[in-house]
Amino acid sequence: MERWKGRVALVTGASVGIGAAVARALVQQGMRVVGCARSVDKIEKLAAECQSAGYSGTLIPYKCDLSNEEEILSMFSAIKTLHKGVDVCINNAGLAHNEPLLSGKTEGWRNMIDVNVLALSICTREAYKSMKERNVDDGHIININSMGGHRMVPSADEHFYCATKYAVTALTEGIRQELREANTHIRATCISPGIVETEFAFRHHNSDPEKAASVYESMKCLKAEDIASAVTFVLSAPPHVQIGDVQMRPVEQVS
């Protein structure tokens, strides 16, 4: 991670869970991390904790609604002005709604597409532009995907969410191919966790907290820090090594 010290990473959805763990890990490694979310209170608290811990990097909170393209573009403009640009883009933000294919509400589907697919694509495009403008040829785009992007979960509540994650799998490979066509050494990686113990299930099953809790009680789940370790592993790979997809799940998870 030595070569990343002092360089700029954007982490979306950095207020809780995987995003917060990734932001902390990168700050610990000496990076300047822009952590964005719709609310920055928790990111500000995390930034203070990182400073108190004496980490060599810094965490910069930024308020951004990723379902709004104008806010994303404004964020990248601010990063360019204040920090020159993005060297590493961690597309972590994602959400799920209980909206089955045969009875779900269009609003929920659209929100999942806006955040899980479109925001990821917009951030990737803008991060690549930032790298090219500054002749950065060793940047990295890391998409936090899901095992749901590789197999369909047998639950109607998850089907549309899985479809958006299948899109992330396809998008990551498409990004990799376009980066090769552009003759750049910028890399694209997809990290696909299974069940991770975060606030995700409680948000997904917000009307049934007992169901959410049962998801995590059924096995020894992955921790957000496990995913953060995977991110630093990917970034630590030699510049000539392309890690395409990291699939990881709890030992006890069946599918």
Side-chain angles (χ1 to χ4, degrees), residues 84-127:
K84 296 185 179 179
V86 172
D87 301 308
V88 173
C89 181
I90 313 286
N91 288 308
N92 164 74
L95 51 82
H97 296 297
N98 296 337
E99 304 293 356
L101 299 176
L102 301 183
S103 60
K105 296 181 179 65
T106 305
E107 181 183 2
W109 294 344
R110 183 175 289 114
N111 189 219
M112 283 186 271
I113 289 175
D114 284 345
V115 176
N116 299 1
V117 179
L118 285 178
L120 177 148
S121 300
I122 295 166
C123 286
T124 296
R125 180 190 68 201
E126 297 305 309

Side-chain angles (χ1 to χ4, degrees), residues 134-153:
R134 296 172 297 122
N135 295 315
V136 171
D137 194 47
D138 65 343
H140 211 134
I141 297 159
I142 299 177
N143 296 328
I144 305 301
N145 195 358
S146 167
M147 286 302 299
H150 301 277
R151 83 284 188 270
M152 187 61 71
V153 176

